[in-house]
Amino acid sequence: MTLTQTSTNSGSQELAITEKLLYINRVTKVVKGGKRLRFSALVVAGDNQSRVGIGIGKASEVPEAIRKGGVQAKKNMVTVVRKGTTIHHDAIANFGASKVLLKPATAGTGVIASDTVRAVLELAGIRDILSKSLGSPNRTNVVKATIRALTSLRDPAKEVSRRRGIPETKTEKQDA
């Protein structure tokens, strides 16, 4: 299920945020009078440029859980450092018992990933990447590990100039 919303910034620039529902979990709690049903929804939101976020919404109705998850995903958006349609370097991240490995790929490779990791990467605007999901297949933990891996990415040119304490433009000219 894909929902698209367009929200306008303070200028004439428009930012289209796409939400994708990954998983709905039905939770049953046994109480004295019987069973109480609730739902949790795992939602990913992104602008297909370089921003992506995840949210978990919980409610007694499915549509309300999805809405809450979308609101939380938009609040928790992070910016991803990209190199064209791929990433600069390998990244490995853990969350709980889940582990995600991301590797850059050449143009035209596509997104080689599980459905959970694929949703996050595509909404972040990454089109060419290799990935491997290791450990627990728990969708929530895999998505959180993917976000951790994406936030650990650095732009090598900016990182070198920051460490050397010189402006970025000089570093790029020396490397060329």
Side-chain angles (χ1 to χ4, degrees):
M1 176 179 192
T2 305
L3 308 168
T4 306
Q5 283 189 339
T6 305
S7 56
T8 310
N9 283 350
S10 58
S12 62
Q13 180 185 20
E14 283 195 8
L15 178 70
I17 296 177
T18 307
E19 294 178 3
K20 196 167 195 178
L21 175 65
L22 289 184
Y23 180 63
I24 295 176
N25 187 28
R26 190 179 81 174
V27 180
T28 307
K29 180 180 179 182
V30 179
V31 292
K32 189 169 80 172
K35 295 179 181 178
R36 180 166 294 149
L37 281 177
R38 288 179 58 91
F39 298 92
S40 66
L42 179 61
V43 179
V44 180
D47 64 356
N48 294 315
Q49 298 297 317
S50 63
R51 292 175 40 105
V52 67
I54 60 168
I56 301 171
K58 300 177 182 180
S60 55
E61 305 269 334
V62 174
E64 184 65 13
I66 295 170
R67 187 193 64 76
K68 285 181 179 180
V71 168
Q72 190 179 0
K74 288 176 190 170
K75 276 186 198 172
N76 297 333
M77 289 187 100
V78 295
T79 303
V80 177
V81 177
R82 299 182 306 155
K83 179 184 177 183
T85 60
T86 188
I87 57 177
H88 286 283
H89 55 85
D90 294 5
I92 300 173
N94 296 356
F95 191 90
S98 296
K99 188 178 199 178
V100 173
L101 164 69
L102 303 176
K103 293 179 109 177
T106 58
T109 303
V111 179
I112 311 292
S114 66
D115 57 344
T116 311
V117 176
R118 175 186 301 272
V120 176
L121 295 174
E122 286 179 348
L123 289 176
I126 297 171
R127 301 284 174 253
D128 300 304
I129 193 165
L130 305 171
S131 75
K132 182 67 183 168
S133 182
L134 305 163
S136 171
N138 181 315
R139 289 185 179 125
T140 305
N141 289 350
V142 169
V143 168
K144 289 183 179 182
T146 305
I147 293 289
R148 268 196 190 167
L150 290 174
T151 54
S152 73
L153 294 172
R154 299 285 177 254
D155 184 358
K158 289 181 181 177
E159 194 65 23
V160 167
S161 63
R162 184 189 65 79
R163 287 183 183 175
R164 291 182 185 170
I166 54 177
E168 184 183 336
T169 54
K170 288 185 180 178
T171 308
E172 290 174 1
K173 288 177 185 173
Q174 290 172 357
D175 292 341

